[in-house]
Amino acid sequence: MSLTSESEFHSGRFVHSSVSGRDRLLPSSNSIELDYGLDELDSLPPRFSKSVHFNLTIADKKCFKRCLYVSIFVVVAVPVLVLLLHFLLHKKQTVADHRDLTLALKQALLFFDAQKSGLLLNDFKVDFRGNSSLNDGKDGEIDADLVGGFYDSGNNIKFSFSTAYTVTLLSWTVIEYQQKYADIGELDHIKDIIKWGSDYLLKLFISPNSTSDSATLYSQVGGKDENQDNDISCWQRPEDMNYTRPVSVCDDTAADLAGEIVAGMSAASLVLAEDKNHSQALVEAAELLFGLAIRQDDSHKPGMYTDSQVCGGRAIDFYNSTSYVDELVWGGTWLFFATGNTSYLKYATDNFAVAEEEELPSEKGIFYWNNKLTANAILMTRIRYFMDLGYPYEEALATNRTDLLMCSYVSSNHNLNVTNGGLVLLKPDAGAPLQYAAAASFLSKLYSDYLQLLRRTSGSCSTDTFSNEKLQGFAESQVYYILGDNPMKMSYIVGYGDHYPNKVHHRAASIPWDGKPRSCHEGDSYLDSVNKNPNNLLGAMVGGPDKNDIFLDDRGKPLFTEPSIASNAGLVAALVALHDPPIKSAGSDGSHLGIDKIGIFKNVMLQRQP
């Protein structure tokens, strides 16, 4: 599908003239005398006239040369000017297409519809998807209802960790930029996506019962099973799967998984507050799970969910966690917003330094599914800026980590790794760099909006300073790179622009939707095919190019061509943050920026009322 529209402007002017048979041009000092010799034609008209002879006399050669040169110039210059005008208009239109954030945002949301698992509605938006995985949760002795949720990426596995992160991040964008979504007609759409994800989060948590004082958490559905066909070995559409999908089970010592699920439930409860029953169910489950995850006793030793083979061993190659305190801090912060209970914020502020000690050096300054500290610092800064909680939070929230992060984005003194084409490499040794760049773009623009709400034009960190313009410029540079302003001159979002990846590493997109089931063996031919995907996975952001700005559109190279719900959540966040504010919005509360200054604190304010 070509999404580029092109306008061509053609203009022409025609001058008509005539000379009657006996008219003469009287000679003068600045004239050209023309003798047409028409009298002979009048005296004896031939039956067939073969030719007419014109006797031309040039009376002023200087004037004639000048006229000739002007004529030549007009003949040559006009077509050149027309072509130049056409080129400039086309170039301007092409640049504008690279920066159509509304179109990109609408498409990016459609990707989450394409990733839905379970029972789909009849008017479903994606025409190559149908009902799938309707027996999820039935694995041997396990008898759970795990139908629903999202397939994680190009495979058919459902990972709880990345799903919870995705719900949290998408919810955060609505809490901040609800007016922008409403202005482009996408508010109901993204709320539906969040509702779909939060319904699944509720299924992942089973509270303790009379036979056990520990909760049950389901960390994964699908994966590798050596004894049968499985989601790794089979290249099949989700609708064609007929094998049993293994389920990974944890208890509440999987603190990182528990913390992220708490964050997702809490953030979604704010977005879906109009559905009081669902919102209340999310908050109650989040509070119960958080209390279980942070309890201190000899029988409870919190850790990472991928430390246990039974709990998350199958996810170690995809979403291997390296710490857990950052997720508990993240969950506590969002639970504070969801309830207004400052005890949750106290846990977050008391343990923030502990989380920093756990943070790997290679993870510093990066926001993605494995590290929430960077984003959590911005949330704490937001609390300090716009909600005066007094002692002891005033000092606890006075961290300069946020300002240091902003300086790292825009200051030349921080030696940020950037490709020749302008893409930041926040994890230079890892592939799929676009996910990190998109999330950084979101944080940069969001923080610049906070500063504008404070009527501040800049900030500082030790010896460096940064301006709002530089923060926005950084955010724009990364998003526009993704949309097509890059050395490959291609969009990295499927369906956006004229040139984009068409061999995406994705099972459902690569196999024809023709009602004919394909076995695992038959599916291999589509994995290995050099043809374009028969189904357009609109809005999917692929992994992206390498450190040399080179991209290989190869279905067999997932580091380049595989999308995921976690990375697309970062893309959505960046696009809505950079989107122009609603034209009709204006007000001293920050609505003229399209950002909700106080909505995130509505439950905090309710708690503080006498």
Side-chain angles (χ1 to χ4, degrees), residues 53 95 113 130 142 166 260 271-272 340 391 438 471 550 567 581:
H53 299 283
V95 172
D113 294 314
I142 300 173
T166 297
E260 189 60 75
V271 173
L272 306 173
Y391 180 83
L471 291 180
I550 295 176
S567 60

Side-chain angles (χ1 to χ4, degrees), residues 67-89:
C67 181
L68 183 62
Y69 293 152
V70 170
S71 299
I72 294 173
F73 174 77
V74 170
V75 170
V76 175
V78 169
V80 172
L81 290 174
V82 171
L83 289 173
L84 182 61
L85 178 62
H86 172 76
F87 172 77
L88 291 175
L89 288 173

Side-chain angles (χ1 to χ4, degrees), residues 247-291:
V247 177
S248 297
V249 185
C250 315
D251 60 22
D252 49 45
T253 59
D256 45 5
L257 178 59
E260 189 60 75
I261 292 176
V262 167
M265 289 177 171
S266 300
S269 74
L270 293 170
V271 173
L272 306 173
E274 293 179 357
D275 185 345
K276 293 183 179 179
N277 291 334
H278 183 65
S279 179
Q280 184 177 354
L282 289 169
V283 172
E284 289 177 354
E287 287 195 283
L288 177 57
L289 178 56
F290 189 72

Side-chain angles (χ1 to χ4, degrees), residues 8-285:
E8 297 183 358
F9 297 86
H10 301 282
S11 61
R13 180 172 299 170
F14 300 90
V15 179
H16 300 269
S17 62
S18 63
V19 179
S20 61
R22 296 185 181 274
D23 288 344
R24 301 272 185 170
L25 292 178
L26 300 178
S28 68
S29 59
N30 294 313
S31 67
I32 301 174
E33 185 177 344
L34 304 177
D35 184 0
Y36 290 87
L38 297 176
D39 289 338
E40 296 179 3
L41 295 176
D42 287 339
S43 61
L44 186 62
R47 185 178 179 184
F48 300 102
S49 177
K50 294 182 179 180
S51 63
V52 176
H53 299 283
F54 298 95
N55 296 321
L56 304 178
T57 302
I58 299 175
D60 189 332
K61 293 183 178 181
K62 184 177 181 180
C63 179
F64 176 76
K65 290 181 178 180
R66 186 183 301 118
C67 181
L68 183 62
Y69 293 152
V70 170
S71 299
I72 294 173
F73 174 77
V74 170
V75 170
V76 175
V78 169
V80 172
L81 290 174
V82 171
L83 289 173
L84 182 61
L85 178 62
H86 172 76
F87 172 77
L88 291 175
L89 288 173
H90 177 74
K91 183 176 180 180
K92 181 179 180 180
Q93 183 67 34
T94 301
V95 172
D97 289 336
H98 286 335
R99 302 185 178 188
D100 188 345
L101 300 185
T102 300
L103 176 60
L105 181 54
K106 286 176 176 286
Q107 290 183 337
L109 291 174
L110 283 173
F111 171 72
F112 294 97
D113 294 314
Q115 296 302 103
K116 285 182 177 179
S117 174
L119 188 63
L120 307 180
L121 300 176
N122 293 330
D123 59 347
F124 193 59
K125 299 176 185 294
V126 182
D127 59 9
F128 62 90
R129 287 297 326 284
N131 299 334
S132 63
S133 302
L134 300 183
N135 291 315
D136 276 359
K138 313 299 182 183
D139 177 22
E141 296 181 357
I142 300 173
D143 186 16
D145 175 13
L146 297 178
V147 177
F150 300 101
Y151 298 114
D152 179 72
S153 52
N155 55 53
N156 298 332
I157 305 174
K158 298 190 300 192
F159 292 106
S160 304
F161 197 52
S162 62
T163 297
Y165 167 81
T166 297
V167 172
T168 308
L169 182 50
L170 291 179
S171 298
W172 188 8
T173 71
V174 178
I175 292 166
E176 300 283 16
Y177 296 113
Q178 178 169 312
Q179 293 181 66
K180 292 186 179 182
Y181 283 115
D183 192 53
I184 63 172
E186 290 293 329
L187 182 58
D188 289 340
H189 187 189
I190 192 169
K191 282 187 175 182
D192 172 75
I193 293 169
I194 293 169
K195 174 69 163 52
W196 187 275
S198 63
D199 282 343
Y200 187 67
L201 295 185
L202 287 171
K203 294 182 177 184
L204 298 178
F205 167 53
I206 308 298
S207 59
N209 53 40
S210 58
T211 61
S212 174
D213 60 355
S214 177
T216 297
L217 293 174
Y218 297 107
S219 67
Q220 183 178 330
V221 179
K224 192 171 184 179
D225 188 331
E226 302 294 345
N227 300 319
Q228 63 171 15
D229 291 338
N230 57 74
D231 298 287
I232 303 300
S233 64
C234 283
W235 191 264
Q236 278 185 304
R237 294 178 307 203
E239 296 78 8
D240 293 344
M241 296 185 299
N242 57 12
Y243 46 79
T244 301
R245 285 156 56 81
V247 177
S248 297
V249 185
C250 315
D251 60 22
D252 49 45
T253 59
D256 45 5
L257 178 59
E260 189 60 75
I261 292 176
V262 167
M265 289 177 171
S266 300
S269 74
L270 293 170
V271 173
L272 306 173
E274 293 179 357
D275 185 345
K276 293 183 179 179
N277 291 334
H278 183 65
S279 179
Q280 184 177 354
L282 289 169
V283 172
E284 289 177 354

Side-chain angles (χ1 to χ4, degrees), residues 47 154 206 277 296 335 397 401 429 469 483 490 529 573:
R47 185 178 179 184
I206 308 298
N277 291 334
Q296 298 290 332
L335 199 49
L397 297 172
R401 180 176 173 127
D429 297 329
E469 289 76 13
L483 297 184
M490 70 181 300
S529 172

